[in-house]
Amino acid sequence: MTGIATYGWSVVAVPLVIAVLAATAGRVLGTRVAALAALAPAWVFAVGVAASARVLAGEEGAIASGSVEWLGAGLTVGWAIDGLTALMLLVVGLVAFLVVVFSRGYLGPGEALPRYFAVLALFTGAMSALLVADGFLGLFIGWELVGVCSYLLIGYWFTRPEASTAAVKAFLTTRVGDMGLLLALALLWREVGDLSYTAVFAAVPGMEASTVSTIGLLLLVGAVGKSAQFPLHIWLPDAMEGPTPVSALIHAATMVAAGVFLLARAWPVVGASADVQTIILVLGGFTAIAAAGSAGAQRDIKKVLAYSTISQLGFMFAAIGAGAWVVAMFHLVTHAAFKALLFLGAGSVIHATGTQRLDAMGGLLKKMPLTAGTWFVGAAALAGIPPLSGFFSKDEVLHTVVGADLGWGVMLFAASTLTAFYITRTTVLVFFGSYRGEGVPHEGGWDLRVPLVVLAAFAAALGFAGGPIAELAGGHHGEIDVLVASIATALAVLGIAVGAVSGIRPKQGADVTKLAFVGPLRWARNGWGFDEIVRQTVTRPACATARVLDRVVDRGVVDRSVEGVGALARLVGRGYSALQSGDTQWYTTLLGAGTVALLALVAYLGRGV
């Protein structure tokens, strides 16, 4: 079994082949295309298991590797599997497999299943390419392919204007971050002449401090865009227009985690600059608290989870900024389990009720007990309640950040309290009280229920796997800080109590938080106005500039120049056409005049001979 890790390149090749088969033969297969698509993440997970076993058995360095020349430009694109890669392959393979299974029951038979499952398989291959790359060039190729797949999946229901707009917004916003990553690659190529991790990391000690800081900041820009951190976080809430299983895969467990993975993988560069670490800490801490505040004001169940994802990614960035990227990876793994669980739980609820609005739910505990039970596990893990996985990983993040910067540590404690508040409020609004929607909600089929149970088991137990996870990531698992854990748990209980009270609805269409803080809630619900800031400072000026350029440059200069050439040609043509009168005498006169003119010209030119 462990031998399949030698064929690490297959985690890219197999999903790509399956994507092609799903796209071309999907109509023939019908609903069985889901089984074909499930083979892609299953293979990725199998390779991850094999590679992890070899790392934990004591093998050091890259388990297997290889490379090919890239376009004859003196560059190579290679692959290598080490512990960090193996850990991420486990996460991507497992979550993607469960999402494919869930999607089988979530989507109807007439919803372009071949296209959907083909893109899911393609995404699995693209994400795997990003992970197994042995250098920044291969990572960038996978990085961009992941962005394309995200665009296609967010806009899956492209006939909906909201979905197509959200897809374009996500694509353009993340491209801003990708430019930072591309510039970082350009600088590395100039400084090192090689983009492989080995060559770059070996060259870092000999670089000037300013150069290292610049490269680290540009890498951070790429990570901020992909992981939806301030100020490039605005695409993620709108990305919820895609199918809910897509949100569980891309926007909770894998693609958005790519930014964290990038900073962890490039730690020899990022960690070489104290200034870059400080900026990462500030960005992560600010994003964590701001996004948690927005999550508590949402009325859409998926947007609660979207802002929650942004906030939890902020925790990971803060840990990296504090110098503990292994801790960040630990939280990434546990978060992948409980947040994917919550998204799929939300999908089960949406599938049963036909709505995403919290005010059209309620009372689902009795109607959907399995969904409710697994949701409670995910919610408690997110809130940091012991002994669930989120408690262990979040405790390590808090302990690390408090040790590095007390001020930002306090901010993360506040964000942790808000986390317990908003997930409890959402839980009460969805599962308790009386049902406020239409129809008769009920549990879905086995393909909706099995992924929930599996993810609930991981969300509950992964916290006890901190040692192996840290070993795979390349570090050591720290001990629980009793004081930090006690404070965090007490604050979580406080957040749960306030969230439970705020979830009580005194009357239809109202809740306690809305009645008490109408203005601030509206501001928080709109993401603290960041979208409007971008609209006023970027979108409108860009559109106005484009209109001026269109009117003055394009139409006034370019179009007029082209049209002028055409008008001149028409004028000359009309002059020559006047000569074609059909009058024989006129033609004879012209011929004679031409002859005389030619003889005169010859006489003039030959007068000196």
Side-chain angles (χ1 to χ4, degrees):
M1 172 67 180
T2 57
I4 67 174
T6 306
Y7 306 99
W9 52 267
S10 63
V11 298
V12 180
V14 171
L16 291 182
V17 171
I18 291 175
V20 173
L21 292 175
T24 55
R27 291 186 180 276
V28 177
L29 293 172
T31 56
R32 290 173 295 179
V33 69
L36 174 64
L39 295 176
W43 179 256
V44 171
F45 182 73
V47 173
V49 171
S52 299
R54 292 174 62 170
V55 173
L56 295 176
E59 291 192 32
E60 298 182 358
I63 296 170
S65 61
S67 63
V68 295
E69 188 175 0
W70 177 253
L71 300 178
L75 292 169
T76 59
V77 176
W79 58 274
I81 296 181
D82 59 7
L84 182 59
T85 300
L87 177 63
M88 288 298 297
L89 290 177
L90 289 174
V91 173
V92 171
L94 178 63
V95 175
F97 178 79
L98 295 176
V99 164
V100 171
V101 174
F102 190 91
S103 297
R104 181 184 180 277
Y106 187 83
L107 297 176
E111 296 202 58
L113 297 184
R115 172 165 58 90
Y116 177 83
F117 286 110
V119 178
L120 277 186
L122 179 61
F123 171 82
T124 304
M127 190 69 195
S128 299
L130 185 158
L131 299 175
V132 302
D134 72 342
F136 288 100
L137 178 59
L139 179 142
F140 185 75
I141 295 171
W143 190 274
E144 292 304 305
L145 286 174
V146 164
V148 171
C149 292
S150 173
Y151 168 80
L152 294 173
L153 289 170
I154 294 171
Y156 172 67
W157 288 312
F158 58 86
T159 55
R160 301 180 184 178
E162 298 84 359
S164 59
T165 300
V168 172
K169 182 178 181 179
F171 189 79
L172 293 179
T173 305
T174 52
R175 293 292 76 70
V176 175
D178 294 356
M179 282 301 301
L181 179 56
L182 184 60
L183 290 173
L185 267 61
L187 276 178
L188 286 172
W189 176 254
R190 188 192 72 178
E191 295 293 324
V192 183
D194 192 338
L195 294 179
S196 67
Y197 295 139
T198 303
V200 168
F201 298 159
V204 168
M207 294 184 190
E208 294 184 3
S210 59
T211 302
V212 174
S213 296
T214 301
I215 294 172
L217 284 174
L218 290 172
L219 291 174
L220 174 60
V221 171
V224 164
K226 195 69 81 180
S227 290
Q229 297 294 282
F230 173 83
L232 299 179
H233 65 289
I234 55 175
W235 65 270
L236 187 58
D238 289 349
M240 297 302 107
E241 292 294 337
T244 305
V246 168
S247 302
L249 175 65
I250 294 182
H251 308 127
T254 56
M255 189 192 88
V256 294
V260 178
F261 172 79
L262 170 63
L263 296 180
R265 175 61 79 192
W267 179 250
V269 179
V270 175
S273 172
D275 293 337
V276 173
Q277 289 187 60
T278 300
I279 294 172
I280 296 173
L281 175 60
V282 172
L283 280 177
F286 178 80
T287 303
I289 186 72
S294 287
Q298 299 304 312
R299 291 182 283 194
D300 181 309
I301 187 172
K302 287 180 68 175
K303 286 200 172 182
V304 172
L305 299 179
Y307 279 106
S308 173
T309 298
I310 296 171
S311 178
Q312 293 303 305
L313 289 166
F315 276 83
M316 301 174 208
F317 270 66
I320 292 174
W325 62 269
V326 174
V327 173
M329 292 302 300
F330 182 27
H331 194 50
L332 183 154
V333 173
T334 62
H335 175 264
F338 62 70
K339 187 55 64 64
L341 170 61
L342 290 172
F343 265 112
L344 293 186
S348 180
V349 169
I350 294 167
H351 186 264
T353 61
T355 181
Q356 297 178 193
R357 292 186 60 83
L358 293 172
D359 57 7
M361 298 178 184
L364 297 182
L365 174 59
K366 296 181 180 180
K367 301 177 184 296
M368 305 176 68
L370 185 140
T371 298
T374 54
W375 173 281
F376 293 160
V377 173
L382 173 61
I385 300 300
L388 302 178
S389 60
F391 165 76
F392 293 96
S393 59
K394 190 180 291 185
D395 171 76
E396 288 201 29
V397 172
L398 292 171
H399 173 64
T400 300
V401 176
V402 167
D405 190 301
L406 180 59
W408 285 109
V410 171
M411 291 292 283
L412 288 191
F413 272 115
S416 181
T417 307
L418 286 173
T419 301
F421 160 76
Y422 66 68
I423 197 60
T424 304
R425 171 181 175 269
T426 303
T427 301
V428 172
L429 291 174
V430 174
F431 294 102
F432 294 93
S434 58
Y435 183 56
R436 300 177 294 275
E438 300 177 355
V440 182
H442 58 279
E443 294 282 8
W446 67 268
D447 35 19
L448 268 68
R449 288 177 287 174
V450 170
L452 295 178
V453 174
V454 174
L455 285 171
F458 279 102
L462 273 177
F464 298 101
I469 291 173
E471 185 176 349
L472 287 173
H476 301 285
H477 180 54
E479 298 293 331
I480 293 178
D481 186 289
V482 177
L483 177 60
V484 171
S486 300
I487 295 174
T489 303
L491 291 175
V493 172
L494 174 62
I496 289 172
V498 177
V501 173
S502 71
I504 300 173
R505 306 178 68 85
K507 62 180 181 179
Q508 186 70 15
D511 61 62
V512 171
T513 53
K514 182 177 179 180
L515 293 174
F517 308 103
V518 176
L521 275 178
R522 185 180 299 112
W523 192 32
R525 186 175 299 123
N526 292 329
W528 307 109
F530 285 120
D531 268 306
E532 185 61 26
I533 292 173
V534 172
R535 189 176 296 110
Q536 296 293 341
T537 60
V538 178
T539 306
R540 288 188 176 178
C543 290
T545 302
R547 284 192 293 269
V548 171
L549 292 175
D550 174 63
R551 184 172 61 253
V552 176
V553 179
D554 190 32
R555 299 185 185 183
V557 178
V558 178
D559 287 357
R560 291 292 178 86
S561 299
V562 175
E563 292 168 358
V565 172
L568 178 62
R570 287 194 297 272
L571 178 62
V572 173
R574 281 196 297 269
Y576 281 111
S577 66
L579 300 177
Q580 305 297 322
S581 64
D583 187 345
T584 305
Q585 291 182 344
W586 173 244
Y587 292 162
T588 303
T589 303
L590 288 178
L591 180 60
T595 302
V596 171
L598 286 174
L599 291 174
L601 179 61
V602 170
Y604 174 77
L605 294 176
R607 68 184 187 280
V609 179

